[in-house]
Amino acid sequence: MKLALIAVSGAALALAACSSEPAAAPEAAPEATNPQDAFFANLSALCGQTFEGEVATEDPLDADFMGQRLVMTVTDCTDDQVRIPFHVGEDRSRTWVVSRTVDGLRLKHDHRHADGTEDTVTQYGGDTADAGTETRQEFPVDQFSIDMFTREDMTVSNTNVWAMEVHPGRQFAYELRRENRHFRVEFDLAEPVSEAGPAA
Protein backbone atom coordinates (compact mmCIF):
# COMPACT_ATOMS: atom_id res chain seq x y z
CA MET A 1 0.00 0.00 0.00
CA LYS A 2 2.81 2.36 0.88
CA LEU A 3 4.57 1.58 -2.41
CA ALA A 4 1.38 2.35 -4.34
CA LEU A 5 0.93 5.64 -2.50
CA ILE A 6 4.51 6.64 -3.23
CA ALA A 7 4.04 5.77 -6.90
CA VAL A 8 0.84 7.82 -7.13
CA SER A 9 2.47 10.77 -5.37
CA GLY A 10 5.47 10.60 -7.66
CA ALA A 11 3.27 10.52 -10.74
CA ALA A 12 1.30 13.52 -9.48
CA LEU A 13 4.48 15.48 -8.92
CA ALA A 14 5.77 14.61 -12.39
CA LEU A 15 2.45 15.63 -13.94
CA ALA A 16 2.48 18.93 -12.06
CA ALA A 17 6.03 19.62 -13.22
CA CYS A 18 5.07 19.00 -16.84
CA SER A 19 1.96 21.14 -16.72
CA SER A 20 3.45 24.14 -14.91
CA GLU A 21 4.54 27.21 -16.95
CA PRO A 22 8.32 27.67 -17.24
CA ALA A 23 9.65 30.37 -14.93
CA ALA A 24 10.19 33.69 -16.68
CA ALA A 25 13.85 34.62 -17.09
CA PRO A 26 14.84 37.59 -14.94
CA GLU A 27 15.10 40.83 -16.88
CA ALA A 28 18.69 41.85 -17.57
CA ALA A 29 19.70 45.06 -15.87
CA PRO A 30 20.38 47.86 -18.39
CA GLU A 31 24.06 48.02 -19.19
CA ALA A 32 25.72 51.00 -17.52
CA THR A 33 27.35 53.38 -19.99
CA ASN A 34 30.68 54.85 -18.97
CA PRO A 35 30.66 58.48 -20.20
CA GLN A 36 34.38 58.33 -20.95
CA ASP A 37 33.99 55.16 -23.04
CA ALA A 38 31.16 56.84 -24.95
CA PHE A 39 33.22 60.01 -25.44
CA PHE A 40 36.22 58.03 -26.69
CA ALA A 41 33.96 56.07 -29.06
CA ASN A 42 32.49 59.34 -30.41
CA LEU A 43 36.00 60.66 -30.98
CA SER A 44 37.24 57.43 -32.57
CA ALA A 45 34.28 57.45 -34.96
CA LEU A 46 35.85 60.52 -36.60
CA CYS A 47 39.06 58.67 -37.44
CA GLY A 48 40.39 59.35 -40.92
CA GLN A 49 38.38 62.56 -41.35
CA THR A 50 39.49 66.18 -41.55
CA PHE A 51 37.47 69.20 -40.45
CA GLU A 52 37.79 72.98 -40.62
CA GLY A 53 37.12 75.21 -37.65
CA GLU A 54 37.16 78.74 -36.34
CA VAL A 55 37.99 80.50 -33.10
CA ALA A 56 34.81 81.03 -31.08
CA THR A 57 36.31 83.34 -28.43
CA GLU A 58 37.70 86.86 -28.63
CA ASP A 59 40.79 86.88 -26.43
CA PRO A 60 43.43 89.26 -27.90
CA LEU A 61 46.06 86.62 -27.08
CA ASP A 62 44.67 84.55 -29.93
CA ALA A 63 45.25 87.13 -32.64
CA ASP A 64 47.66 84.75 -34.41
CA PHE A 65 44.78 82.32 -34.95
CA MET A 66 42.43 84.91 -36.43
CA GLY A 67 42.18 84.80 -40.19
CA GLN A 68 44.16 81.55 -40.40
CA ARG A 69 42.79 78.32 -41.80
CA LEU A 70 42.25 76.02 -38.79
CA VAL A 71 42.17 72.31 -39.61
CA MET A 72 42.11 69.15 -37.50
CA THR A 73 42.49 65.54 -38.65
CA VAL A 74 41.59 62.57 -36.47
CA THR A 75 44.21 59.91 -37.16
CA ASP A 76 46.35 57.06 -35.82
CA CYS A 77 43.40 55.61 -33.91
CA THR A 78 43.86 52.54 -31.68
CA ASP A 79 41.77 51.06 -28.89
CA ASP A 80 43.66 53.23 -26.41
CA GLN A 81 44.76 56.38 -28.25
CA VAL A 82 43.67 58.94 -30.85
CA ARG A 83 45.99 61.57 -32.34
CA ILE A 84 44.61 64.83 -33.74
CA PRO A 85 47.05 67.04 -35.67
CA PHE A 86 45.85 70.65 -35.44
CA HIS A 87 47.10 72.94 -38.19
CA VAL A 88 47.03 76.73 -37.94
CA GLY A 89 47.63 78.02 -41.46
CA GLU A 90 50.92 76.43 -42.51
CA ASP A 91 51.98 75.77 -38.91
CA ARG A 92 51.76 72.00 -38.40
CA SER A 93 53.60 71.83 -35.09
CA ARG A 94 50.64 70.87 -32.89
CA THR A 95 49.03 67.48 -32.21
CA TRP A 96 46.43 66.71 -29.56
CA VAL A 97 46.75 63.19 -28.15
CA VAL A 98 43.84 61.60 -26.26
CA SER A 99 44.64 58.35 -24.45
CA ARG A 100 42.86 55.95 -22.15
CA THR A 101 44.32 55.51 -18.66
CA VAL A 102 43.49 53.13 -15.82
CA ASP A 103 41.38 55.87 -14.23
CA GLY A 104 39.96 57.75 -17.21
CA LEU A 105 41.26 59.79 -20.14
CA ARG A 106 44.40 61.85 -20.72
CA LEU A 107 45.03 64.81 -23.04
CA LYS A 108 48.56 65.69 -24.10
CA HIS A 109 49.88 68.36 -26.47
CA ASP A 110 52.66 67.07 -28.71
CA HIS A 111 54.58 70.06 -30.11
CA ARG A 112 57.30 69.39 -32.68
CA HIS A 113 59.59 71.32 -35.01
CA ALA A 114 59.42 70.84 -38.78
CA ASP A 115 62.19 68.23 -38.60
CA GLY A 116 60.16 66.12 -36.16
CA THR A 117 62.15 66.90 -33.03
CA GLU A 118 60.22 67.84 -29.90
CA ASP A 119 59.78 71.47 -28.92
CA THR A 120 61.07 72.56 -25.52
CA VAL A 121 57.46 72.97 -24.38
CA THR A 122 55.67 69.74 -25.26
CA GLN A 123 53.77 66.75 -23.83
CA TYR A 124 51.85 68.98 -21.45
CA GLY A 125 48.24 68.37 -20.49
CA GLY A 126 46.34 66.46 -17.84
CA ASP A 127 44.04 63.62 -16.83
CA THR A 128 40.30 63.70 -16.27
CA ALA A 129 39.32 64.24 -12.62
CA ASP A 130 35.73 62.98 -12.96
CA ALA A 131 33.55 60.97 -15.33
CA GLY A 132 32.52 63.95 -17.44
CA THR A 133 29.86 63.28 -20.07
CA GLU A 134 29.74 61.44 -23.35
CA THR A 135 30.05 64.78 -25.16
CA ARG A 136 32.47 66.74 -22.93
CA GLN A 137 35.65 65.83 -21.01
CA GLU A 138 37.84 68.19 -18.97
CA PHE A 139 41.57 67.78 -18.31
CA PRO A 140 43.07 69.76 -15.38
CA VAL A 141 46.81 70.45 -15.66
CA ASP A 142 49.00 67.63 -14.31
CA GLN A 143 52.16 67.85 -12.19
CA PHE A 144 54.47 67.09 -15.13
CA SER A 145 53.06 70.12 -16.93
CA ILE A 146 53.23 72.38 -13.87
CA ASP A 147 56.89 71.48 -13.41
CA MET A 148 57.62 72.18 -17.08
CA PHE A 149 55.69 75.47 -17.15
CA THR A 150 57.52 76.58 -14.00
CA ARG A 151 60.89 75.64 -15.47
CA GLU A 152 60.10 77.52 -18.70
CA ASP A 153 58.85 80.65 -16.87
CA MET A 154 55.24 79.97 -17.93
CA THR A 155 53.68 79.79 -14.47
CA VAL A 156 50.55 81.55 -15.75
CA SER A 157 49.65 78.15 -17.28
CA ASN A 158 49.90 76.26 -13.97
CA THR A 159 46.14 76.39 -13.47
CA ASN A 160 45.14 75.41 -17.01
CA VAL A 161 42.07 73.27 -17.58
CA TRP A 162 41.62 71.95 -21.11
CA ALA A 163 38.42 70.48 -22.47
CA MET A 164 37.21 68.67 -25.56
CA GLU A 165 33.67 68.24 -26.81
CA VAL A 166 32.30 65.87 -29.44
CA HIS A 167 28.73 66.39 -30.60
CA PRO A 168 28.37 63.69 -33.30
CA GLY A 169 27.45 65.00 -36.72
CA ARG A 170 27.56 68.57 -35.50
CA GLN A 171 30.61 69.92 -33.69
CA PHE A 172 34.02 69.18 -32.16
CA ALA A 173 35.46 71.77 -29.78
CA TYR A 174 38.81 72.28 -28.07
CA GLU A 175 38.97 74.65 -25.13
CA LEU A 176 41.48 76.15 -22.70
CA ARG A 177 40.46 77.95 -19.52
CA ARG A 178 42.22 79.56 -16.58
CA GLU A 179 41.74 82.82 -14.73
CA ASN A 180 41.43 85.67 -17.23
CA ARG A 181 41.94 83.29 -20.15
CA HIS A 182 39.45 81.49 -22.38
CA PHE A 183 40.32 80.00 -25.77
CA ARG A 184 37.86 77.88 -27.74
CA VAL A 185 37.97 76.63 -31.31
CA GLU A 186 35.00 74.84 -32.90
CA PHE A 187 35.02 72.49 -35.89
CA ASP A 188 32.09 71.67 -38.16
CA LEU A 189 31.61 67.89 -38.17
CA ALA A 190 28.77 68.11 -40.68
CA GLU A 191 31.16 68.95 -43.53
CA PRO A 192 34.44 67.01 -43.58
CA VAL A 193 37.09 68.38 -45.94
CA SER A 194 39.28 66.35 -48.25
CA GLU A 195 42.72 67.54 -47.19
CA ALA A 196 44.49 69.20 -44.31
CA GLY A 197 46.93 71.42 -46.16
CA PRO A 198 46.80 75.20 -46.45
CA ALA A 199 44.04 76.64 -48.57
CA ALA A 200 45.02 77.01 -52.20
Side-chain angles (χ1 to χ4, degrees):
M1 182 69 177
K2 286 183 178 179
L3 289 174
L5 184 58
I6 291 171
V8 170
S9 299
L13 287 172
L15 184 61
C18 291
S19 62
S20 63
E21 293 293 327
E27 289 187 16
E31 185 178 347
T33 300
N34 181 320
Q36 292 174 337
D37 288 343
F39 177 89
F40 194 83
N42 286 338
L43 187 59
S44 297
L46 304 176
C47 200
Q49 299 184 73
T50 298
F51 306 95
E52 286 194 75
E54 58 184 18
V55 176
T57 45
E58 298 180 353
D59 194 317
L61 292 174
D62 301 319
D64 290 347
F65 288 81
M66 304 299 181
Q68 299 268 26
R69 187 181 187 222
L70 307 180
V71 178
M72 59 168 269
T73 300
V74 184
T75 185
D76 296 333
C77 304
T78 70
D79 291 342
D80 298 312
Q81 188 179 94
V82 173
R83 295 180 65 84
I84 308 172
F86 171 45
H87 300 163
V88 179
E90 297 188 14
D91 182 350
R92 303 187 176 201
S93 63
R94 303 170 177 86
T95 299
W96 301 318
V97 184
V98 181
S99 306
R100 291 183 184 273
T101 69
V102 173
D103 299 317
L105 297 174
R106 173 175 297 152
L107 170 64
K108 286 291 183 175
H109 299 73
D110 186 350
H111 286 247
R112 294 180 182 268
H113 299 291
D115 64 0
T117 58
E118 286 194 334
D119 193 88
T120 304
V121 179
T122 189
Q123 305 305 330
Y124 58 87
D127 292 3
T128 51
D130 55 42
T133 72
E134 64 181 30
T135 58
R136 180 179 172 89
Q137 293 290 322
E138 296 185 352
F139 308 88
V141 64
D142 60 21
Q143 191 60 50
F144 170 88
S145 305
I146 291 172
D147 292 344
M148 184 189 66
F149 290 146
T150 301
R151 184 179 67 246
E152 298 298 325
D153 196 24
M154 299 171 61
T155 54
V156 67
S157 298
N158 285 353
T159 57
N160 281 1
V161 177
W162 297 274
M164 282 186 168
E165 295 180 14
V166 183
H167 303 277
R170 188 166 61 86
Q171 184 186 88
F172 172 91
Y174 166 90
E175 186 177 282
L176 162 65
R177 280 187 180 272
R178 63 174 178 259
E179 188 176 0
N180 299 319
R181 181 78 169 99
H182 182 205
F183 170 71
R184 181 180 172 92
V185 58
E186 298 174 346
F187 298 84
D188 184 3
L189 300 185
E191 297 187 13
V193 297
S194 60
E195 51 81 29

